[in-house]
Amino acid sequence: MAKKKRKSADSGPDGNVPLKGMETFRLLAGLFFGVLAIYTFIALLSYLFTWAEDQSLLTNSDVWNTLVPAENGGGKVGFFWANLLLSKLFGLGAFIIPFFFMGISFYALKIRKIKLLRLFFLSLFGAIIFSVLFSYIFSFTKFDTWFGNGVGGSYGYYVNEWLVAMLGNTGAGSLLIVLTVLWLVILSYGVVKWFNRMIERIFHRKPKDADLAAGASLAGVAAEGGEPVDLYNKTKDDAPENDVVFEILESSHLESAGEAQSDGKSRAAGVDPATGELYGIDGAGGISPLNGSGNGLNGSDDTDSDEDFLKNIPPETLETLFDPRLDLSNYQIPPISLLEDYKDRIFKVPMEELEKNNRKIVKTLKDYKIDIDKISARTGPTVTLYEIVPAAGVRIAQIKRLEEDIARSLAANGVRIIAPIPGTNAVGIEVANEKPSIVPMRSMLEDPKFTNAKFDLPVVLGRTISNEALTFDLAKVPHLLVAGATGQGKSVGLNAIITSLLYTKHPSELKFVLVDPKKVELSLYSRIERHFLAKLPDSEEAIITDTQKVVYTLKSLTIEMDSRYDLLKMAHVRNIREYNEKFLSRKLNPHKGHRYLPFIVVIIDEFADLLMTAGREIEEPIARLAQLARAIGIHLVIATQRPTTNIITGLIKANFTARIAFRVISNIDSRTILDTTGANQLVGRGDMLISTNGELTRVQCAMIDTAEVERVTEYIGSQRGYASAYYLPEYTGEDGDGSGVGDVDLGKRDKLFDEAAKLVVQFQQGSTSLIQRRLNLGYNRAGRIMDQLEAAGIVGPFEGSKARQVLISDFASLDRILASLE
């Protein structure tokens, strides 16, 4: 196979037409005009002091004889050139001409962008104006005969004579002053813009450490304008043997997080660090400042029949009713300084590592007779993406099949092939960096993409391979499924989600329902119970650890959901954003049950453990909330370390379209979570794939450790809070929820009592696990049914580890017992 010709950086748009001749011409032209500018300036400057000594050259017929000397610093040519410009044309105004030539040089050499036509007219206008002006000024002095016709040159002398004759000395002087000021104004406009840009570059550029923390391109420097740098466009010896162009792509995230500027409208509630004032989200559905002119009092509304209901509310309670922030008006969001920057754990990807991987990839593909045109490397905090452009005729499937061979050749973990990269004709090969970098949560919260987002529930999770902050609106997602093996970053991911919301929301806008079966993962958040947590009225602790309490809480949330839908129906709105906007505009009567509705985010850790103990009692309310709760502001985040099909069922997957997968053991687990492989090829420690609407994005999760979470929660908890946690609707349990045989009321039997009785008689086995397994119930509910069966005389008393004795041997006897209970 013929060796492919290397694609040159000087090729045309189609990659085949060379532009080298044009580039060479621009280079030569730039150098020529640069030298001409310097030479002209030297000749003009020297002419000012030597013009009299060299005047004899003008009449000497043998002027070009080498024996005839010239005093001008530019020699004889310089003298005649300066004499033309200074004496015959513009006088001192000719000093503008060298700057004109230098501008052309800068343009040709691409040193800076210059509009040649504007430069030409500015230079010509300036030379003429100053020529006449100097002639006018020096006509009143003894220097009016310099250079023959004065310091304004012949052109300035004759124009000045004409102007004085036409307008007189005063009129000519006034006109020249006006024209000079006009020229200076036109010139200063461009100069001021250039000066401002220079100040911006010098004093507002990002320091290297911040560049590093933001994850900008760490392996190469891109040319101005964002073009990739061809690393092998240096010398022949530097080029790789395969002659494939290798590039380092500039990261799209180039601004320091510390340079994030607010656009004047805050998207989330909190305290402005500059003014200390409390602010709220904008009119899209959050809290905004209320004032007399913008409270909606003049608008008509058919929601409440009594249009004058505000008149019946005492003025001193009016603000409190409609602005829930006033209960905690002095609340302060946590300062960013509570979080670590981890600068000592952010590493640069060495150029040697990139080039080594490039050579190995090209060699591996070449061994399988696969030709490529170009490789581009895009560095991320944990993984580098090598973008490969295959040669014409190469099928992408050929590269995809070599995934294991490439991984073995690179001797690296986390190798994943993307074939093709969405929206391009390139194939991506993700390779883990030898020294992965930490992505600090602090840098995420300072990132402009997060701070400038207009989200109801803003969440930032980490950085993508292109070093962009991954942000999304949980209110739009609207539910999130998180899965991964033990120790791969799920808990840190949950902390990142919670922290994002704590740094952007006021306690009156957001409440968390935290479920922690392990009792240790979310316990730190108990400190913010009176600010951000919600619980059942009879619960002692806001962090829910008991399985039965989880069931009750989820069913209480369904009651809350139904109640909120009733409020939306009464208000004639479709979602929580419209409802809260209407309420804050004082168009809904609080005395008729209307209230501000905070968002409720339900965080469930170890979902698999709950399903094992509560079964269908857990899955049913979760499915109902996932299907219906989006519009009324209840959102679920469920995490599990067992991504199996009996845990992540079809019902769960159907309602959780946004899913996060940390590293898992097998590709089967990956398919269970994401419907595709890839999660089994991650490197762990926060490396994750997030699937939204079927698109996969690889992200390094932001790091926030336990000490940081503790500082944040202590800061919030130390402030004045509400009298108690946010109370969910009371839920007393379903019929048949007795706590023991002595408390059993057979008139309030469980709905599945008859079915369970027939099951026990059929199998002649009084086992709670039999009822739990056959009826797909939780252990607690199955135990209560067993107590009811004992009270009805169908099974005997509890006998420790043995199954209970079944007292009824046939269905006829069972039917008589069941009939007697009716």
Side-chain angles (χ1 to χ4, degrees):
M1 182 177 293
K3 184 177 181 180
K4 287 191 69 65
K5 188 175 181 180
R6 181 185 177 191
K7 184 175 179 180
S8 172
D10 296 322
S11 60
D14 57 359
N16 297 318
V17 181
L19 299 176
K20 204 165 187 178
M22 179 62 69
E23 292 299 319
T24 303
F25 173 77
R26 291 187 68 129
L27 175 62
L28 294 176
L31 294 176
F32 170 77
F33 280 101
V35 172
L36 179 61
I38 297 173
Y39 181 77
T40 301
F41 183 80
I42 292 174
L44 292 175
L45 187 63
S46 178
Y47 188 87
L48 295 178
F49 304 99
T50 62
W51 67 276
E53 290 84 346
D54 289 336
Q55 286 297 307
S56 61
L57 295 176
L58 297 175
T59 58
N60 192 334
S61 59
D62 197 22
V63 64
W64 300 114
N65 191 312
T66 57
L67 298 178
V68 180
E71 298 295 329
N72 191 282
K76 296 176 182 178
V77 174
F79 166 74
F80 282 105
W81 177 232
N83 184 72
L84 172 66
L85 297 178
L86 277 170
S87 179
K88 304 298 183 184
L89 293 176
F90 306 117
L92 293 180
F95 274 92
I96 292 178
I97 294 176
F99 294 96
F100 170 68
F101 290 151
M102 188 60 68
I104 297 177
S105 176
F106 282 6
Y107 170 81
L109 296 176
K110 299 181 180 180
I111 295 176
R112 61 176 285 112
K113 293 182 179 179
I114 293 177
K115 297 179 179 179
L116 285 183
L117 191 61
R118 182 175 183 274
L119 176 67
F120 172 75
F121 282 112
L122 268 178
S123 302
L124 180 62
F125 185 36
I128 293 174
I129 290 299
F130 281 104
S131 173
V132 181
L133 179 65
F134 284 129
S135 289
Y136 175 81
I137 293 174
F138 283 92
S139 65
F140 300 103
T141 69
K142 63 180 181 180
F143 302 106
D144 60 336
T145 58
W146 269 21
F147 316 141
N149 288 319
V151 295
S154 297
Y155 179 85
Y157 174 80
Y158 290 114
V159 173
N160 177 58
E161 288 288 315
W162 181 81
L163 284 176
V164 170
M166 294 294 103
L167 303 176
N169 287 329
T170 303
S174 300
L175 177 63
L176 290 173
I177 291 174
V178 171
L179 292 176
T180 303
V181 171
L182 176 63
W183 183 84
L184 291 174
V185 169
I186 297 174
L187 177 67
S188 63
Y189 175 74
V191 172
V192 168
K193 288 178 64 178
W194 173 83
F195 182 76
N196 288 339
R197 284 197 298 268
M198 293 300 297
I199 292 296
E200 184 73 20
R201 290 180 182 179
I202 295 173
F203 295 103
H204 298 284
R205 63 183 304 174
K206 181 167 64 92
K208 290 184 178 180
D209 287 343
D211 278 343
L212 217 57
S217 179
L218 302 177
V221 180
E224 185 174 342
E227 297 180 359
V229 178
D230 184 352
L231 297 181
Y232 292 103
N233 192 17
K234 294 181 282 190
T235 63
K236 185 175 180 181
D237 294 336
D238 291 332
E241 296 179 359
N242 49 56
D243 208 24
V244 176
V245 176
F246 179 46
E247 299 175 348
I248 308 298
L249 297 182
E250 180 78 8
S251 167
S252 60
H253 178 79
L254 294 178
E255 297 185 14
S256 171
E259 294 177 345
Q261 299 293 329
S262 172
D263 60 359
K265 291 185 179 180
S266 180
R267 53 159 173 77
V271 175
D272 190 333
T275 65
E277 295 180 354
L278 191 68
Y279 57 76
I281 62 176
D282 49 22
I287 298 174
S288 56
L290 301 176
N291 51 59
S293 60
N295 57 13
L297 294 179
N298 297 326
S300 62
D301 181 57
D302 59 357
T303 301
D304 295 285
S305 58
D306 182 8
E307 297 182 356
D308 298 327
F309 72 91
L310 289 172
K311 298 179 180 178
N312 301 322
I313 300 176
E316 61 272 13
T317 63
L318 190 63
E319 291 295 333
T320 304
L321 282 174
F322 287 100
D323 191 351
R325 297 172 305 169
L326 295 181
D327 290 333
L328 297 180
S329 58
N330 295 322
Y331 174 78
Q332 300 274 336
I333 61 172
I336 202 70
S337 58
L338 296 177
L339 304 178
E340 301 287 344
D341 55 19
Y342 294 106
K343 287 184 178 181
D344 58 335
R345 299 175 66 181
I346 300 174
F347 306 106
K348 177 179 178 180
V349 181
M351 182 67 67
E352 295 77 11
E353 179 182 336
L354 298 174
E355 293 176 346
K356 178 184 68 174
N357 289 339
N358 163 56
R359 290 191 296 269
K360 289 182 177 180
I361 291 173
V362 173
K363 182 179 183 304
T364 302
L365 295 177
K366 189 174 182 180
D367 290 342
Y368 289 90
K369 303 188 185 304
I370 296 178
D371 290 324
I372 58 177
D373 289 341
K374 183 177 72 173
I375 298 183
S376 301
R378 192 183 301 275
T379 60
T382 303
V383 175
T384 296
L385 175 65
Y386 294 87
E387 300 178 6
I388 297 174
V389 179
V394 174
R395 291 180 299 174
I396 290 178
Q398 292 178 263
I399 301 177
K400 180 67 176 175
R401 287 197 295 266
L402 298 177
E403 189 167 18
E404 294 183 359
D405 297 280
I406 295 175
R408 185 173 61 252
S409 171
L410 294 172
N413 296 323
V415 176
R416 190 173 74 100
I417 292 183
I418 310 171
I421 297 175
T424 69
N425 63 342
V427 176
I429 299 180
E430 296 174 345
V431 182
N433 300 331
E434 293 180 1
K435 292 185 69 174
S437 295
I438 290 291
V439 175
M441 189 66 197
R442 176 172 179 167
S443 70
M444 293 291 90
L445 297 177
E446 293 176 326
D447 193 282
K449 190 173 181 181
F450 178 71
T451 58
N452 297 331
K454 300 295 186 294
F455 295 155
D456 289 328
L457 293 175
V459 172
V460 60
L461 273 181
R463 292 203 183 278
T464 65
I465 289 182
S466 58
N467 278 301
E468 291 183 348
L470 179 75
T471 62
F472 61 87
D473 188 354
L474 185 58
K476 299 281 183 64
V477 170
H479 310 294
L480 191 60
L481 177 63
V482 183
T486 303
Q488 301 305 317
K490 293 190 308 303
S491 297
V492 176
L494 293 180
N495 286 334
I497 294 172
I498 296 173
T499 303
S500 300
L501 297 173
L502 291 179
Y503 267 88
T504 53
K505 308 302 288 185
H506 186 272
S508 63
E509 294 182 306
L510 172 68
K511 301 298 174 185
F512 289 102
V513 174
L514 301 182
V515 177
D516 183 16
K518 290 198 300 186
K519 305 180 181 181
V520 293
E521 294 294 345
L522 303 176
S523 59
L524 287 175
Y525 296 102
S526 61
R527 294 186 178 94
I528 60 174
E529 175 181 342
R530 295 184 299 110
H531 298 81
F532 283 101
L533 300 192
K535 67 177 183 178
L536 293 173
D538 60 344
S539 295
E540 295 182 1
E541 297 181 355
I543 309 296
I544 308 167
T545 58
D546 179 69
T547 302
Q548 190 59 55
K549 287 290 185 182
V550 175
V551 175
Y552 285 3
T553 302
L554 291 175
K555 293 186 177 181
S556 173
L557 285 169
T558 62
I559 298 174
E560 173 74 8
M561 177 182 70
D562 294 335
S563 173
R564 289 189 173 199
Y565 270 116
D566 290 339
L567 291 175
L568 264 60
K569 180 181 178 181
M570 293 168 55
H572 303 294
V573 294
R574 296 175 301 172
N575 55 57
I576 188 175
R577 299 177 66 191
E578 296 175 1
Y579 179 88
N580 281 339
E581 183 179 20
K582 206 167 189 178
F583 180 82
L584 294 171
S585 299
R586 303 183 182 183
K587 296 180 180 179
L588 300 176
N589 190 346
H591 290 169
K592 291 188 176 181
H594 290 293
R595 55 193 169 91
Y596 181 80
L597 300 179
F599 286 97
I600 298 177
V601 177
V602 184
I603 309 284
I604 301 179
D605 195 15
E606 299 302 338
F607 179 60
D609 182 70
L610 294 178
L611 282 184
M612 289 176 59
T613 55
R616 195 164 61 187
E617 291 183 286
I618 288 286
E619 189 172 6
E620 286 180 355
I622 282 181
R624 188 160 183 260
L625 289 170
Q627 290 169 350
L628 301 174
R630 170 181 181 174
I632 45 85
I634 299 178
H635 305 280
L636 306 176
V637 179
I638 294 178
T640 179
Q641 65 178 7
R642 292 182 54 197
T644 55
T645 53
N646 62 327
I647 301 299
I648 304 177
T649 62
L651 184 63
I652 294 295
K653 292 175 67 174
N655 292 290
F656 287 77
T657 55
R659 306 169 201 159
I660 293 176
F662 291 88
R663 187 184 183 190
V664 295
I665 303 302
S666 66
N667 58 4
I668 297 176
D669 291 342
S670 178
R671 289 185 182 277
T672 302
I673 308 167
L674 303 173
D675 295 324
T676 185
T677 59
N680 55 306
Q681 297 164 317
L682 301 175
V683 297
R685 299 183 64 81
D687 190 17
M688 66 183 183
L689 291 172
I690 180 168
S691 172
T692 54
N693 299 322
E695 296 183 1
L696 284 181
T697 305
R698 192 165 185 176
V699 179
Q700 176 61 37
C701 184
M703 174 63 183
I704 175 169
D705 67 9
T706 303
E708 293 175 88
V709 173
E710 189 172 7
R711 289 196 293 267
V712 171
T713 55
E714 282 183 351
Y715 183 87
I716 296 174
S718 64
Q719 302 181 58
R720 187 176 70 87
Y722 298 105
S724 65
Y726 181 85
Y727 285 144
L728 299 172
E730 187 175 359
Y731 180 80
T732 57
E734 297 182 356
D735 293 341
D737 281 348
S739 59
V741 176
D743 300 325
V744 171
D745 183 358
L746 292 179
K748 297 181 179 180
R749 299 184 303 280
D750 193 283
K751 291 183 294 186
L752 297 177
F753 175 86
D754 291 358
E755 188 176 350
K758 294 176 182 178
L759 188 66
V760 168
V761 172
Q762 178 185 353
F763 288 92
Q764 288 294 298
Q765 182 181 355
S767 169
T768 302
S769 61
L770 174 67
I771 298 176
Q772 181 185 7
R773 185 173 62 255
R774 289 286 181 172
L775 299 183
N776 195 23
L777 299 177
Y779 182 84
N780 292 339
R781 187 178 178 187
R784 290 193 298 271
I785 294 176
M786 186 60 70
D787 291 337
Q788 294 171 7
L789 293 175
E790 179 185 352
I794 299 175
V795 298
F798 179 71
E799 298 182 12
S801 60
K802 294 182 180 180
R804 295 176 187 247
Q805 181 182 359
V806 180
L807 304 178
I808 305 300
S809 59
D810 58 273
F811 285 103
S813 301
L814 177 62
D815 290 339
R816 287 193 296 271
I817 293 177
L818 295 178
S820 67
L821 295 175
E822 296 297 327

